[in-house]
Amino acid sequence: QVQLVESGGGLVQPGGSLRLSCEVSGSGIIFSTNGMGWYRQAPGKERELVARISIGGYTNYGDSVKDRFTISRDNAQKTVYLQMNSLKPEDTAVYYCNMGSTYWGQGTQVTVSS
């Protein structure tokens, strides 16, 4: 059973920062051989890519978060991170962790509001 558990969401003021974490557990899964990603879904909108990181550490980002968000991974801890800076109200959404385009976490709410 593979589990992805996100944490770090919450309420933050515009211009603030948050760091999301996603820890992977379960037997039969080798974290280091899977690409990882963060997606988000706002109310009434489709789920969209936020950031992805490959096995080799290559990254790509959604246009709306470039230069503000940074994805990273720690293979020893089986964890992927999303550092979010200069947050805007339009970043408000449920953020989901994804592994290998197959497995999903339960999501963590990020709300940007004054």
Side-chain angles (χ1 to χ4, degrees):
Q1 186 81 8
V2 177
Q3 284 192 314
L4 282 66
V5 180
E6 300 102 334
S7 61
L11 174 65
V12 64
Q13 292 187 341
S17 298
L18 282 175
R19 188 193 195 204
L20 304 184
S21 300
C22 171
E23 184 174 0
V24 179
S25 63
S27 60
I29 293 295
I30 303 175
F31 178 84
S32 61
T33 64
N34 282 274
M36 300 296 298
W38 287 96
Y39 293 74
R40 68 185 183 188
Q41 189 166 18
K45 295 187 177 181
E46 293 186 353
R47 191 172 295 190
E48 64 175 357
L49 171 71
V50 177
R52 289 184 296 204
I53 185 166
S54 72
I55 298 170
Y58 293 101
T59 60
N60 66 292
Y61 297 89
D63 288 340
S64 62
V65 307
K66 284 180 182 177
D67 301 322
R68 298 189 298 123
F69 291 10
T70 302
I71 188 171
S72 60
R73 63 189 297 161
D74 184 335
N75 289 339
Q77 298 297 322
K78 299 182 181 180
T79 301
V80 62
Y81 303 97
L82 185 68
Q83 178 66 44
M84 305 186 294
N85 299 329
S86 302
L87 282 160
K88 305 175 181 180
E90 50 264 43
D91 294 318
T92 295
V94 178
Y95 283 70
Y96 298 91
C97 178
N98 172 266
M99 183 174 74
S101 300
T102 301
Y103 301 100
W104 292 90
Q106 82 288 349
T108 185
Q109 177 71 47
V110 172
T111 302
V112 185
S113 175
S114 55

